[in-house]
Structures are given as structure tokens and as C-alpha cells.
Amino acid sequence: MKRGILLFLCVLSINTVSGCELFGRFDMPSLFKEGDIMIGGIFPILNKEILSTSTFDKEPPKVQCEGFDLRVFRWTQAMIFAIEEINNDPALLPNISLGYRILNSCASPTNALRAALTLASGAEELDVSSHCPPAISALIAESGSSQSIAVAGILGPFHMPIISYFSTCACLSDRTKFPTFFRTIPSDYFQAKALAALVKHFGWQWIGAIQSDNDYGRNGILAFKEEVEKFGICIAFVGTILRTHTKDRFLKVVEIIKQSSVKVILAFVPEGDFYPLMKEIVNQNITGIQWIASEAWITASRPSTPEIYTAFGGALGFVVKKMAIPNFKHFLTSISPYTDPHAPFVRDFWQIMVGCMPVLPGARTSTDDTTKRCIGNETLMNSDDVFFNVTELRVTYNVYKAVYAIAHALHQLVFCQPVGAKTVNPCVNLSEIQPKEVIKSLQRVNFTNQFGDEVFFDENGNPPASYDIINWQLINGKVQHVTLGHFASAANGNYKLNVQEEKIVWRTGKTVPTSLCSNVCPSGTRKAQINGKPICCFHCVPCADGTIANSTGAADCTPCPKEYWSNERKDECIPRTIEFLKYHEPMGIALTLVSLLGASLSLATMVVFINYRETPVIKASNFELSSFLLFSLFLCFLCPLTFIGMPTVWTCMLRHTAFGVTFALCISCVLGKTIVVVTAFKATFPGNKITGQFGHAQQRIIVCSCTLIQIITCVLWLTLNPPYPHMLFTYSNRTIVLECNTGSEFAFYAVLGYIGVLAIICLILAFMARKLPDNFNEAKLITFSLLIFCAVWITFIPAYVSSPGKFTVAVEIFAILSSAFGLLICIFAPKCYIIFLKPEKNTKKWVMGKSIK
């Protein structure tokens, strides 16, 4: 490459002095016509280089090429046709003629570089004594991306504008490396987006890829992989081929295809590189694969045969917009070797089209050559060969647009105004036009041609991106390229894909083929990646409890909201059962009945005490304090009713505070009774006057003051951090426990603790007076009742903490009822027993029996 650059510099330096002197010759035949402004062209007319020796000696060797390509020859004729149209157009470049020089590249980067240097050095056919033709002002080249990279790399530093008609590699959009490169075909960046969108549209997750071993294939597959990875699509393998590879290397790729489980394969390969592999696939009868094509081979004529269709029928691919060029068919049918006997490539074209070798003046013929000779009256006017079908031109149209883009750029440069202005006067001398000025003018080109197609280049030299979707179909025994959709890329990066699915002919039948490494996970399961495998290969794992996957192919399971839980199939979140102690359930009914029973017994006992308040037993038990105690027990028995039912803000605040205050009142009354008993016991000692100092007023003060402390505590609790309804989710996966949160744990245990302190004081005092010398020892009854009370509440704490769900509330209700019944029965049952069953003992003498002995 460096030696080539040096040679090019030498050529330029020699051409800048007076006269023309060629440094050396590559001896490359060319289609040539001189004009005021020259445009170069490089095309792979012969597509196989059979002598690739590249030495830059004084006399570079001739390069032998073979494999005449009719499709490419039509591209060259499109360039010539466009130039002649422009020369005959009085509005585009008036009084200025365009010339051309077109060389063959043999589809080789090395030979494309030779052609580029040849065009830059001047016309080799002209005698050195004749005048120098104008230098090339712009170059239309090349078809292959590798060739364009070589040409743009060598000519770019010298500001030579290059417009490609078929090079799609996204790498050529790099303006730092290729600042003078333009193209009339969209970049592979957009084709990769289109191919990825097509694969995603049909749900293919597991595909193979074939790339050509050059810049076109490698960069195309790289761009495609970047796009499909965004959609979670995996590429199982990438096979690499090139037309110059040995047959063994092609067979290795065939073996990869046979062993793979993929049913969809993308071939990002030029037709010349792909054709040997296509023939091998047909020979080995590999069918059932849906092929996706890049634009380089989907509309190529050589593989579009019934034989190749047996394995590649139904192929899908993208191509650039098709167009019909008026009068172009007449131009093609007028090609004749007799018009210009020295024109290269025309003789090969004529031999293929007509089937005979033209006999030209001065041409030597070998006696061993058995080729049929033409008689001279052959014509192409009535030929129905596909070569003359100009109704669906794609790459040919790109060449046509490239010539017109250069012409519009030259018009703006020469006349300093766009095409269509009324006054047209040159503002620049043609001899002063520099290639770098043509580049600046190309960057400003923006026009709509006669077909309504907008022609312009973005900042990277790319045209607007738009593709047709092509489907291979066999119609009347011939392979047809049927357009069944469209893809267009917007400036914001979005795209629009339209596909006529119902009209597609699939390789696998009438239905869309599937291509998956693993089957789609059903709802209720998620994907679990297999170690060492692509992301498309996975196991299906059931969702964990509390999570769901309500669609197929879920990557992750979605957690249910707190109020919901997953069903058995793990595909739907169902509401959790809300649990609380209800009135209508058996436990709620039982506790309600027991609570009402206790309240009724308390009221009944109070009625008995009121009716028998003048009897010795009632008088001995302190009627006033007993009435307060019975009233407090009545309230204690009603407290559990606030614990049953759905917790609300008000019931939560009421249940704990009502419990705390009523039990504080209850124990305060018991404390008062205990103090009365103790003082009575102390009064039996001579000279003790404590009984007179602890009368009814003092008893009321004790009860009220002890209760008031609890009331103040509860008021502070409700003010600062009151209890509130709370949903407990941790008890059961399928159940929500609706409970009352205490708000302040400290306040809750302070209320319980205060009741406990009062109970312990009562117990100690009662224990001290347990041996009071009378038949009806109140202290013994109080002691026994408080032992039951303390035992209940001591066992309550661990039972409360360990009970699940609504049973926590049931334990608390049970403790309230048990302790209340303990007080009611132990203190008041003996008195009722005497009143109703032993009335003979309801006398002062029996009550004070021990003291009067």
C-alpha cells in the first residue's frame, strides 16, 4: 500500500510539469470518451482475478481477469447513458461536456487500487506527444466494500470525491478515515437494522449467519449482531467464505449448517462469494432452511435459477428502491462491437448475447478457435434477455443517480447557483476546478430527480435509507424477485417495517418457520440460563411462590403486590385472604357468648348485693367497694367485644385503652378491699386506731387515684402514638392478618405493667392478712383470686407472642375473661353461696364466730 502511494505521488509530480510523461503502465483496458470534465468509473466487469501478482516495478505485469458479468456491464452502460443524457440536457451543464473513463477491477481490492492509480495518472491510450486530457474530477467506484476502502484510502488524502453505487460497509461512513467518500446506496448500518427488524418481526430467536471474508461481510454481520442482541436474538454460528477459498473450506461451512439446529440463516455475502456455497448446498440436498439475504445477492441473476431454488426458494432479503429508466433499453439494444471495434468488453458481451464471435477489422483469428463467427447482420433489438429488462433497476439506478449527483455538484460549482436558475453564466474557469471543491459542492447537493426521488447526502456521505423486501418465488418455472414489503429508517433512529406476510412463499411451507434453541417457556415459568450456552438456550423454571409470569417466554417472574399471592399455576395474582377474629365464626361466637355471660353474671351479682346489702355477709365485704368492683368487672367482660371484628382506627384505640382503664379500676377496687381487710386485722391489736383513719373517703381516694394514673397513661398513649389497624403479611403467604398495632410498645407494656404492679401489691397485702381471725376471711379470697389473675397474665405473655394470626387476639381475650372470671368467682361466689344456699350463716354471729370464742 505504501509503495502504491509513492507511485501515485510520482505520477502526480510528473504530470504537473510541462508536457505528459508516464512513470509506468498498468496496461488496463478502459471505456473512454474525452470531455471538458472527466468522470472516472471502476466496475468489476470481469469478476475473477487469475493473476494476482502485485509488484510495482518499472513495468507492472498485466493482470488477467475472467468471468464476464452481464449485470456489472449494465452498470457501466448506465454511467455512459447518464453522461450522454446530461450532455444533451441544455439546463444541467450547458456548453460543458462530460467525459468518462471506465476501468475493470476484477472484484479485487488490489486491482481496484491499480485502476484508481491509473485513473489518477491520465489516459494511457493517448500518445505522450498529444495533449493531456482533463484530470478526473470525480470517481464512481466501487461495488465491493473492500475495493472501495482501498480506493478511498489511497485517493482520499488527495481530495478525490468518490461515489459508490454498491459498497454498503458501515465503516465507510467514518469521515476521519474516508472524508471524500459518498454513496447512493444506504449503509449496512441501516441494512443491519432492517434485517434485525425482520428477524424480530417473525419471532426468530436462534439463527445462523454466513459472512464473506472481507470488510463487507465482517462489518455487516458485526452490525447485525449488535442490533439483534438488543432483541435477545442469538446467532448460533458464523460461517466465513470467499470465492477464492478452497472447496474444503466451503465443505466445512456446509457441515456446520448440517449439524446446527437453526432453521433460519442470514447470508451477508456478495453473490460471487456465495454462489459456490449455494451449489454445494444444492448438491447435498440441504432443504428446510429459511434463508435471509443481504442486498448483494437477493436479486442477482446467476443464482436465480430453478436448480438453486430447490434449496433457497422463499428467501427473504432487502434491496434498494427499484426504478425504470426511460430510453435506457433502446440504449442497451444499440450496443454493437461494430460501432467501436476497439471498445473493450463489448466483444465479450456480444458473444454472450448473440452467441457468436464478431469479426472485426484488423482482428486476428486463430485456426484452432472453433467459436462460431458472426455474419455481421445480428441485432439485439428483439432480444428478450433479462439484461434488457430495465423496469426494475436497483444498483443500475444507483449508478445513474451517482452520475447526476456529480453533475448537479458541478453545476453549482461552475455556475454558482442551483440547477433551474433563469440566467446561467459560468463563474469559475473549468481548468481551475479542483476535486476538493467538487467535494464541498457534493455535500450541498439536494435535488429531486425526474422520478420524484430525492437525492442528497448526510454528514457521513450516506443517502436516505429505504429498502424493499424481496421474496424468492417460482412463477411459471422462473425464479421471480417479488416485492412484499418496505423498510424505512427515520432520522430519530426509529424504523417502520411493513410486510405482506400472507403473500410470502416460505421455504418450509405455508406457515412462518420457527427457529428456537429452546421452546418458549409457558406462563407460570421463567427462563433459566444454561451455563456455557447463548441466552437463547435455557431451561424453563417454575416461578417461586408469590411471583408470577402471566405471559409466555418471560425472562423473570414478577412479584405480586403485597395484598396478592400467586395461584397454583403461577400465572395470576389472586387476593390474599384477610384474616381477623370475626363475630360469626365459631371462635368469635364462643368468646362473645362467654363475654356476655361474664357481664350478665356481674350485673346479676350486683343486683344480689343491692337486694341483700343489709345482711351481715354483704356488710362485712364492704358494699361500696364491692359495687365498684362488680361494675369494673362488668366493663372488663365487655372489653373483649372490642377485640372481635375488623380492626378500625377507633376500635384499635378503644380496645387497649378500655382494657387498661377497666382493669386498673378493677384492681384498684381489689386494692381498696385488701387495705380495708389489712387495717381491720391491724385493729385487733390494742391501741391501734388505723381503722378510723381509713374510712369510705380514703377508700374512694385510693380507687380514684390508682385509676387516674392509668387514665393519664392511656391519654398520653393515644395522643403521642396511638394504636392503629395494621396488615401483617409475614404470618402466611396466602393470608393477610388484619390486627391492631399497638403504636407504642412502651405504652402498651406500661399499661400492662401498671396493672401488674397493682396486682402484686394487692397480693402481698392480702397474703399478710390471710389469717384474719373470723369465719369469712376476705383476705383468703382476694389472695386466691389474685394468684389466678397473676398466673393468667404471666402465661399470657409467651402465649401472646407465639400465637399466630387471629389467635393472638383470642389469647388476649382469653386472658381478659379468665382473669375477670377469677376475680368474680373467687371473691363473690362464696358470698352468693351463703346468701342463697346457706342463709343460716348469713348472721353477724357466724361471720364474727372466731373472734367471739
Side-chain angles (χ1 to χ4, degrees):
M1 181 68 72
K2 291 183 178 178
R3 295 181 66 187
I5 295 175
L6 291 176
L7 174 61
F8 181 57
L9 291 173
C10 291
V11 170
L12 288 182
S13 62
I14 293 173
N15 278 334
T16 54
V17 299
S18 59
C20 294
E21 181 180 352
L22 292 177
F23 181 81
R25 293 176 181 269
F26 284 123
D27 194 15
M28 302 185 74
S30 66
L31 296 169
F32 176 81
K33 181 180 180 181
E34 187 173 349
D36 299 327
I37 300 176
M38 295 295 293
I39 300 176
I42 301 177
F43 297 86
I45 305 170
L46 304 176
N47 57 28
K48 187 174 182 180
E49 184 180 25
I50 59 175
L51 179 61
S52 57
T53 303
S54 178
T55 57
F56 287 83
D57 297 323
K58 290 185 178 180
E59 291 294 333
K62 294 182 179 180
V63 178
Q64 300 295 324
C65 298
E66 63 180 19
F68 187 85
D69 195 324
L70 283 172
R71 185 187 186 202
V72 178
F73 183 72
R74 187 168 63 182
W75 300 347
T76 66
Q77 298 307 303
M79 177 177 171
I80 297 172
F81 174 75
I83 288 176
E84 291 190 2
E85 262 194 350
I86 293 167
N87 287 339
N88 294 325
D89 187 347
L92 191 50
L93 287 174
N95 302 319
I96 298 174
S97 64
L98 293 180
Y100 57 84
R101 188 176 183 201
I102 301 173
L103 301 182
N104 171 46
S105 70
C106 287
S108 160
T110 304
N111 212 49
L113 187 59
R114 291 191 183 102
L117 294 174
T118 299
L119 290 173
S121 66
E124 293 181 1
E125 293 86 347
L126 299 179
D127 187 82
V128 294
S129 61
S130 60
H131 74 284
C132 282
I136 299 297
S137 297
L139 177 62
I140 297 177
E142 228 272 15
S143 66
S145 295
S146 294
Q147 295 90 289
S148 290
I149 289 172
V151 173
I154 193 68
L155 298 184
F158 302 101
H159 307 289
M160 175 63 71
I162 303 164
I163 302 182
S164 174
Y165 46 89
F166 208 22
S167 296
T168 58
C169 180
C171 59
L172 287 163
S173 297
D174 188 349
R175 291 320 246 180
T176 59
K177 295 181 179 179
F178 310 105
T180 68
F181 183 82
F182 299 83
R183 52 184 155 196
T184 54
I185 188 170
S187 162
D188 281 339
Y189 170 80
F190 300 105
Q191 185 177 190
K193 280 185 174 291
L195 291 168
L198 187 71
V199 171
K200 178 190 176 186
H201 178 79
F202 291 113
W204 296 323
Q205 297 288 324
W206 183 240
I207 65 174
I210 307 293
Q211 67 179 13
S212 55
D213 194 11
N214 52 29
D215 297 286
Y216 172 76
R218 288 189 294 268
N219 286 282
I221 291 297
L222 179 62
F224 175 75
K225 287 177 68 175
E226 290 177 355
E227 290 298 323
V228 295
E229 285 174 358
K230 298 176 184 177
F231 306 131
I233 298 168
C234 303
I235 296 181
F237 63 84
V238 178
T240 303
I241 58 175
L242 197 66
R243 71 186 73 189
T244 56
H245 284 178
T246 61
K247 185 175 181 179
D248 288 340
R249 297 185 68 173
F250 281 97
L251 291 176
K252 286 181 180 179
V253 175
V254 172
E255 196 61 29
I256 292 173
I257 295 172
K258 290 168 66 176
Q259 293 179 0
S260 177
S261 62
V262 300
K263 298 300 180 184
V264 177
I265 300 178
L266 165 67
F268 213 101
V269 189
E271 177 265 330
D273 295 328
F274 193 40
Y275 189 70
L277 181 66
M278 298 176 85
K279 291 195 297 183
E280 192 60 41
I281 289 173
V282 172
N283 292 338
Q284 297 197 26
N285 194 28
I286 301 175
T287 59
I289 293 175
Q290 178 62 48
W291 288 91
I292 307 174
S294 65
E295 92 296 330
W297 67 270
I298 187 64
T299 57
S301 57
R302 182 165 59 160
S304 300
T305 62
E307 178 190 6
I308 299 296
Y309 188 87
T310 58
F312 291 84
L316 287 172
F318 290 94
V319 291
V320 292
K321 185 178 181 181
K322 64 182 178 180
M323 192 62 65
I325 303 176
N327 303 320
F328 186 45
K329 180 177 182 180
H330 176 74
F331 179 84
L332 293 177
T333 56
S334 65
I335 298 173
S336 172
Y338 305 108
T339 303
D340 183 2
H342 301 289
F345 314 122
V346 177
R347 180 184 296 183
D348 297 319
F349 164 74
W350 190 264
Q351 186 173 355
I352 294 172
M353 287 288 104
V354 180
C356 62
M357 178 68 71
V359 180
L360 302 176
R364 297 180 181 179
T365 58
S366 174
T367 57
D368 298 331
D369 190 356
T370 58
T371 306
K372 180 182 177 181
R373 305 298 176 184
C374 298
I375 60 177
N377 61 352
E378 294 84 4
T379 180
L380 301 175
M381 292 299 178
N382 299 320
S383 176
D384 60 352
D385 192 274
V386 68
F387 178 86
F388 302 102
N389 182 4
V390 296
T391 59
E392 295 186 355
L393 301 176
R394 301 184 190 276
V395 182
T396 305
Y397 177 59
N398 288 342
V399 176
Y400 183 84
K401 284 196 298 184
V403 176
Y404 268 87
I406 293 173
H408 276 260
L410 290 172
H411 182 99
Q412 294 178 8
L413 182 61
V414 174
F415 300 102
C416 300
Q417 56 186 348
V419 177
K422 293 182 179 180
T423 58
V424 180
N425 296 311
C427 59
V428 175
N429 193 320
L430 297 184
S431 61
E432 297 176 356
I433 294 177
Q434 298 296 323
K436 62 181 179 181
E437 295 174 345
V438 180
I439 294 173
K440 294 179 181 178
S441 187
L442 275 172
Q443 293 170 342
R444 299 191 301 269
V445 164
N446 191 333
F447 66 95
T448 302
N449 62 18
Q450 57 181 313
F451 311 109
D453 198 6
E454 191 174 7
V455 181
F456 67 89
F457 304 101
D458 64 15
E459 65 276 6
N460 296 317
N462 295 312
S466 178
Y467 298 96
D468 289 336
I469 301 175
I470 295 298
N471 180 221
W472 273 21
Q473 298 185 10
L474 193 65
I475 302 174
N476 298 326
K478 292 184 178 180
V479 177
Q480 301 291 335
H481 308 138
V482 182
T483 302
L484 293 179
H486 185 72
F487 174 91
S489 181
N492 58 4
N494 296 327
Y495 60 82
K496 185 177 182 181
L497 178 69
N498 293 319
V499 187
Q500 300 177 32
E501 294 184 40
E502 68 282 358
K503 296 183 179 180
I504 294 178
V505 173
W506 300 104
R507 184 71 196 97
T508 54
K510 294 183 179 181
T511 59
V512 179
T514 59
S515 188
L516 302 169
C517 180
S518 301
N519 291 327
V520 178
C521 289
S523 57
T525 63
R526 65 173 179 85
K527 298 177 183 177
Q529 189 65 41
I530 302 175
N531 290 334
K533 295 285 187 177
I535 61 173
C536 297
C537 302
F538 48 81
H539 295 305
C540 295
V541 179
C543 292
D545 289 340
T547 62
I548 64 163
N550 57 5
S551 61
T552 58
D556 293 298
C557 297
T558 305
C560 291
K562 281 188 175 182
E563 294 80 8
Y564 294 81
W565 196 251
S566 56
N567 60 359
E568 293 295 333
R569 297 188 303 273
K570 303 297 192 315
D571 60 357
E572 183 183 6
C573 289
I574 56 177
R576 294 191 188 189
T577 303
I578 297 179
E579 181 180 275
F580 57 89
L581 188 58
K582 303 178 181 66
Y583 282 105
H584 54 78
E585 64 178 291
M587 186 185 297
I589 293 171
L591 293 174
T592 300
L593 291 176
V594 173
S595 177
L596 294 176
L597 176 63
S600 300
L601 290 175
S602 300
L603 287 176
T605 304
M606 184 177 292
V607 170
V608 170
F609 264 56
I610 292 173
N611 289 333
Y612 292 92
R613 63 181 178 278
E614 299 299 333
T615 60
V617 171
I618 302 301
K619 287 182 177 181
S621 64
N622 195 329
F623 173 75
E624 184 176 343
L625 285 178
S626 296
S627 298
F628 275 124
L629 179 58
L630 286 170
F631 176 71
S632 64
L633 286 173
F634 172 74
L635 296 178
C636 288
F637 280 117
L638 293 180
C639 271
L641 299 180
T642 64
F643 286 79
I644 304 174
M646 179 180 289
T648 63
V649 174
W650 291 105
T651 57
C652 286
M653 291 191 295
L654 180 62
R655 67 171 57 171
H656 290 101
T657 54
F659 156 73
V661 172
T662 55
F663 265 83
L665 175 61
C666 180
I667 302 302
S668 297
C669 293
V670 175
L671 178 61
K673 290 176 68 67
T674 306
I675 294 175
V676 170
V677 173
V678 170
T679 55
F681 174 72
K682 296 293 184 180
T684 58
F685 297 98
N688 196 321
K689 300 180 180 179
I690 191 169
T691 304
Q693 296 175 2
F694 197 79
H696 291 290
Q698 287 76 17
Q699 295 170 21
R700 297 187 190 103
I701 291 172
I702 286 292
V703 172
C704 292
S705 60
C706 291
T707 306
L708 182 61
I709 293 173
Q710 187 74 306
I711 292 173
I712 293 173
T713 303
C714 290
V715 169
L716 291 174
W717 184 8
L718 295 179
T719 303
L720 299 177
N721 195 2
Y724 57 90
H726 172 68
M727 288 185 177
L728 183 64
F729 298 96
T730 57
Y731 162 59
S732 171
N733 290 336
R734 300 183 182 277
T735 305
I736 300 174
V737 177
L738 194 58
E739 62 177 9
C740 285
N741 189 290
T742 57
S744 172
E745 293 288 333
F746 175 79
F748 175 70
Y749 287 107
V751 168
L752 288 180
Y754 180 70
I755 296 173
V757 169
L758 291 178
I760 291 173
I761 294 173
C762 288
L763 180 61
I764 293 172
L765 292 175
F767 185 78
M768 291 171 56
R770 70 188 184 281
K771 294 182 180 180
L772 190 67
D774 56 13
N775 284 336
F776 189 70
N777 191 346
E778 184 91 353
K780 291 180 181 179
L781 302 177
I782 294 174
T783 301
F784 190 65
S785 66
L786 289 176
L787 284 174
I788 295 175
F789 183 89
C790 292
V792 168
W793 286 102
I794 288 172
T795 56
F796 160 77
I797 294 175
Y800 179 82
V801 172
S802 61
S803 297
K806 62 183 178 182
F807 297 101
T808 304
V809 178
V811 167
E812 191 169 359
I813 294 175
F814 179 78
I816 293 171
L817 294 176
S818 299
S819 57
F821 271 111
L823 292 172
L824 178 65
I825 293 172
C826 291
I827 294 176
F828 296 101
K831 300 176 177 59
C832 293
Y833 173 78
I834 292 173
I835 291 171
F836 292 110
L837 301 179
K838 298 291 183 178
E840 67 276 8
K841 293 183 179 181
N842 192 3
T843 61
K844 184 176 182 180
K845 180 180 178 181
W846 185 86
V847 171
M848 302 298 293
K850 289 185 178 182
S851 58
I852 61 176
K853 286 181 180 179

